[in-house]
């Protein structure tokens, strides 16, 4: 009986050591405050992004009791936009032209709300103005868009096309598209849609440094942030009032190497976009963790654009966490090559409460690493090594001479 009790005691001690060892493999922890219910949300703070893995796989929520360490499961949510497109059926009932241009009239089987018309035009190079009108019975027409430009540029320097008509929600039975062109557009197809969009929620990131330089017909913009953070939106403020269409390369800093001439910064491509006067100069990014961006604008033979400001934003990362036992809980992170957690709640449909409160944070604390005992070398002084080598050489010489005498 005593043997069984001793075995259970040793087993419990080992299991507790393993649990505490789980936290020892991470580098940082932040105390979580305000835990009162089973479910709470943790809005990941910027400090965490400084030390997490590139894919954020090493984030954990651990609770510490007097005898145990427990892991609280969570659902990782990102506040990106939710977009749903519903394509609307229609009929082309009229296609005519006059000296002003070409008219296309479309009928919807029933009155529906739409806000986007995509014109698929196979012409490679054009710059046309569009007028879009709506009517309920084709007797009175109401202007929806006027002098709206569509264009396509295809040459050695640029390959850019913009042929989507975007407008506020409209609800008519008939729509008439007028393309102001002397040549007949090669209009191959049309898509009429209702795009419903729930806007994304962003966190603004402070830019610590913003430099612009001109080199070899290129505008190079270096952007430094205060912290390493996940970037999802880059917004430019262009002061020029002229038309422009410039290819841009967005890159992020991977690492830096110190050389005799200073630091060499190694950048990696993040996205390739087109800076255009026809569209909003806001670009979606794939959520890469970085602290420094470089944007290269290809000016070709054009004058450089006047960029007066840039803004960087990122989605909110929220951990909807389930707490089942009382403990002192921490948000733990910073484990190189850490794997994603495997929780049941991520594989099943979980009914969450309507009002889930957000937790507060303590300070960031370094998790101490367990000290490893080091064994001192047998011979710490190099002179001992030379003495031993000398003795070995002397013994080898003595035995060699002895063998030579015996042969003689």
């Amino acid at each position: 009986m005593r043997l069984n009790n001793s075995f259970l005691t040793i087993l419990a001690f080992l299991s507790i050591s393993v649990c505490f060892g789980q936290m020892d493999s991470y580098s940082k922890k932040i105390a979580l405050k305000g835990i009162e219910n089973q479910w709470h949300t943790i809005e990941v703070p910027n400090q965490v992004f400084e030390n997490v893995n590139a894919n954020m796989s090493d984030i954990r929520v651990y609770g510490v009791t007097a005898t145990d360490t427990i892991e609280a499961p969570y659902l990782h949510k990102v506040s990106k936009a939710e977009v749903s497109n519903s394509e609307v059926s229609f009929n082309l009932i009229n296609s005519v032209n006059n000296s002003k241009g070409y008219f296309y009239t479309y009928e919807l089987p029933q009155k529906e709300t739409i806000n986007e018309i995509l014109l698929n035009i196979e012409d490679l190079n054009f710059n046309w103005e569009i007028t879009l009108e709506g009517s309920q019975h084709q007797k009175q027409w109401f202007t929806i868009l006027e002098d709206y430009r569509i264009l396509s540029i295809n040459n050695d320097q640029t390959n850019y096309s913009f042929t989507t008509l975007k407008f506020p929600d409209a609800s008519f039975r008939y729509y008439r598209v007028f393309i102001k062109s002397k040549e007949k557009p090669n209009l191959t197809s049309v898509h009429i849609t209702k795009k419903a969009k729930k806007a994304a929620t962003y966190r603004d990131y402070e830019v610590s440094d913003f430099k612009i330089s001109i080199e070899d017909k290129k505008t190079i913009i270096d952007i430094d942030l205060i912290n390493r953070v996940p970037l999802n939106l880059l917004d430019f403020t262009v002061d020029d009032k002229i038309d422009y269409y410039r290819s841009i390369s967005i890159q992020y800093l991977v690492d830096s190497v110190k050389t005799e001439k200073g630091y060499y910064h190694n950048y990696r491509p993040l996205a390739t976009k087109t800076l255009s006067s026809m569209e909003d100069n806001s670009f979606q990014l794939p959520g890469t963790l970085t602290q420094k961006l470089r944007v290269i604008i290809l000016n070709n033979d054009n004058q450089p654009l006047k960029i007066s400001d840039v803004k960087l934003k990122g989605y909110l990362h929220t951990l909807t966490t389930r707490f089942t036992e009382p403990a002192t809980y921490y948000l733990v992170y910073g484990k190189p090559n850490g794997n994603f957690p495997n929780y049941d709640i991520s594989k099943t449909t979980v009914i969450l409460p309507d009002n889930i409160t957000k937790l507060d944070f303590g300070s960031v604390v370094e998790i101490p690493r367990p000290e490893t005992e080091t064994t001192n070398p047998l011979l710490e002084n190099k002179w001992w090594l030379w003495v031993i080598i000398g003795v070995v050489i002397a013994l080898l010489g003595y035995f060699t001479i002895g063998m030579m005498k015996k042969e003689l």
Side-chain angles (χ1 to χ4, degrees):
M1 194 65 169
R2 290 182 179 177
L3 182 60
N4 290 337
N5 290 337
S6 300
F7 176 75
L8 292 174
T9 302
I10 294 173
L11 184 62
F13 175 77
L14 290 176
S15 63
I16 293 173
S17 299
V18 169
C19 291
F20 279 101
Q22 290 177 333
M23 287 185 61
D24 290 341
S25 60
Y26 295 83
S27 63
K28 308 277 186 179
K29 66 178 180 180
I30 304 176
L32 300 175
K33 300 179 179 180
I35 300 174
E36 298 176 350
N37 303 313
Q38 185 180 32
W39 290 95
H40 286 283
T41 58
I42 302 170
E43 193 174 291
V44 181
N46 287 348
Q47 301 96 308
V48 172
F49 299 128
E50 192 71 29
N51 298 98
V52 295
N53 292 341
N55 57 5
M56 304 184 198
S57 61
D58 57 332
I59 297 178
R60 298 292 188 274
V61 179
Y62 283 127
V64 179
T65 68
T67 59
D68 200 0
T69 298
I70 54 180
E71 184 171 348
Y74 63 81
L75 297 170
H76 187 176
K77 297 182 178 181
V78 182
S79 63
K80 57 185 177 182
E82 297 178 8
V83 180
S84 61
N85 295 331
S86 56
E87 192 161 342
V88 178
S89 61
F90 63 93
N91 298 311
L92 174 64
I93 63 173
N94 201 359
S95 176
V96 296
N97 67 286
N98 57 22
S99 59
K100 295 181 179 179
Y102 292 80
F103 298 82
Y104 303 89
T105 305
Y106 303 99
E107 178 190 18
L108 276 58
Q110 57 186 12
K111 188 171 69 172
E112 294 189 48
T113 301
I114 65 171
N115 53 24
E116 193 169 288
I117 298 177
L118 171 63
L119 306 176
N120 289 322
I121 302 174
E122 288 193 353
D123 300 83
L124 293 180
N125 292 283
F126 58 84
N127 185 358
W128 297 326
E129 292 182 350
I130 296 282
T131 297
L132 175 64
E133 300 173 306
S135 175
Q136 302 296 2
H137 39 64
Q138 296 194 82
K139 294 181 180 180
Q140 184 180 11
W141 291 91
F142 299 91
T143 302
I144 302 172
L145 295 173
E146 189 174 15
D147 297 331
Y148 187 94
R149 293 180 60 199
I150 62 172
L151 70 99
S152 174
I153 303 174
N154 193 308
N155 52 42
D156 295 338
Q157 299 177 346
T158 305
N159 185 3
Y160 174 75
S161 176
F162 179 75
T163 60
T164 301
L165 311 183
K166 300 180 181 181
F167 47 91
D169 289 353
S171 181
F172 294 98
R173 184 71 183 275
Y174 299 93
Y175 292 90
R176 183 166 64 189
V177 177
F178 167 57
I179 302 178
K180 189 176 180 179
S181 171
K182 294 181 179 180
E183 299 178 359
K184 183 179 180 179
N186 190 4
L187 182 60
T188 57
S189 64
V190 175
H191 297 277
I192 300 178
T193 60
K194 167 65 183 295
K195 178 173 285 188
K197 184 174 182 179
K198 180 182 177 182
T201 302
Y202 290 102
R203 176 183 291 167
D204 294 323
Y205 297 130
E206 185 176 351
V207 175
S208 61
D209 197 13
F210 168 49
K211 295 180 180 177
I212 298 179
S213 58
I214 310 297
E215 298 178 11
D216 299 328
K217 298 183 179 182
K218 299 176 183 178
T219 299
I220 301 175
I221 306 173
D222 287 317
I223 309 166
D224 292 339
L225 296 162
I226 293 178
N227 299 310
R228 174 179 180 251
V229 289
L231 300 178
N232 296 98
L233 188 72
L234 171 61
D235 183 76
F236 287 101
T237 299
V238 182
D239 294 338
D240 299 80
K241 303 303 179 183
I242 60 174
D243 291 334
Y244 54 85
Y245 320 97
R246 312 281 174 91
S247 296
I248 66 173
S249 173
I250 304 172
Q251 306 172 359
Y252 70 100
L253 182 66
V254 179
D255 53 36
S256 299
V257 180
K258 189 174 183 180
T259 65
E260 295 179 355
K261 299 180 179 180
Y263 279 95
Y264 170 76
H265 299 298
N266 181 24
Y267 286 91
R268 185 172 296 170
L270 185 60
T272 301
K273 304 287 184 178
T274 300
L275 198 64
S276 169
S277 57
M278 297 189 64
E279 301 181 74
D280 292 334
N281 290 320
S282 296
F283 303 104
Q284 290 291 328
L285 304 177
T288 301
L289 282 164
T290 187
Q291 192 174 349
K292 187 177 180 66
L293 277 186
R294 170 169 287 179
V295 180
I296 301 176
I297 304 176
L298 301 181
N299 297 318
N300 299 314
D301 295 325
N302 304 293
Q303 288 292 325
L305 297 173
K306 297 176 183 177
I307 311 294
S308 60
D309 191 20
V310 292
K311 294 180 180 178
L312 287 163
K313 301 181 180 183
Y315 297 141
L316 298 181
H317 290 260
T318 304
L319 312 179
T320 304
T321 313
R322 184 179 66 193
F323 300 91
T324 57
E325 298 181 35
T328 302
Y329 284 93
Y330 298 92
L331 180 64
V332 180
Y333 59 97
K335 181 179 181 180
N337 302 319
N339 296 322
F340 283 102
N342 188 2
Y343 298 135
D344 291 338
I345 61 173
S346 63
K347 302 175 183 177
T348 58
T349 302
V350 179
I351 300 175
L352 299 175
D354 294 331
N355 297 317
I356 302 179
T357 57
K358 186 170 61 176
L359 295 180
D360 296 323
F361 302 100
S363 302
V364 177
V365 177
E366 294 273 353
I367 299 177
R369 296 281 183 179
E371 294 183 2
T372 56
E373 294 184 1
T374 57
T375 304
N376 293 328
L378 181 62
L379 301 174
E380 292 184 350
N381 196 322
K382 293 182 180 179
W383 288 107
W384 281 106
L385 182 61
W386 287 110
V387 170
I388 292 175
I389 292 174
V391 172
V392 171
I393 293 174
L395 289 174
L396 288 174
Y398 174 77
F399 286 113
T400 301
I401 294 172
M403 293 176 63
M404 292 174 64
K405 289 181 178 180
K406 288 181 179 181
E407 291 179 0
L408 295 174

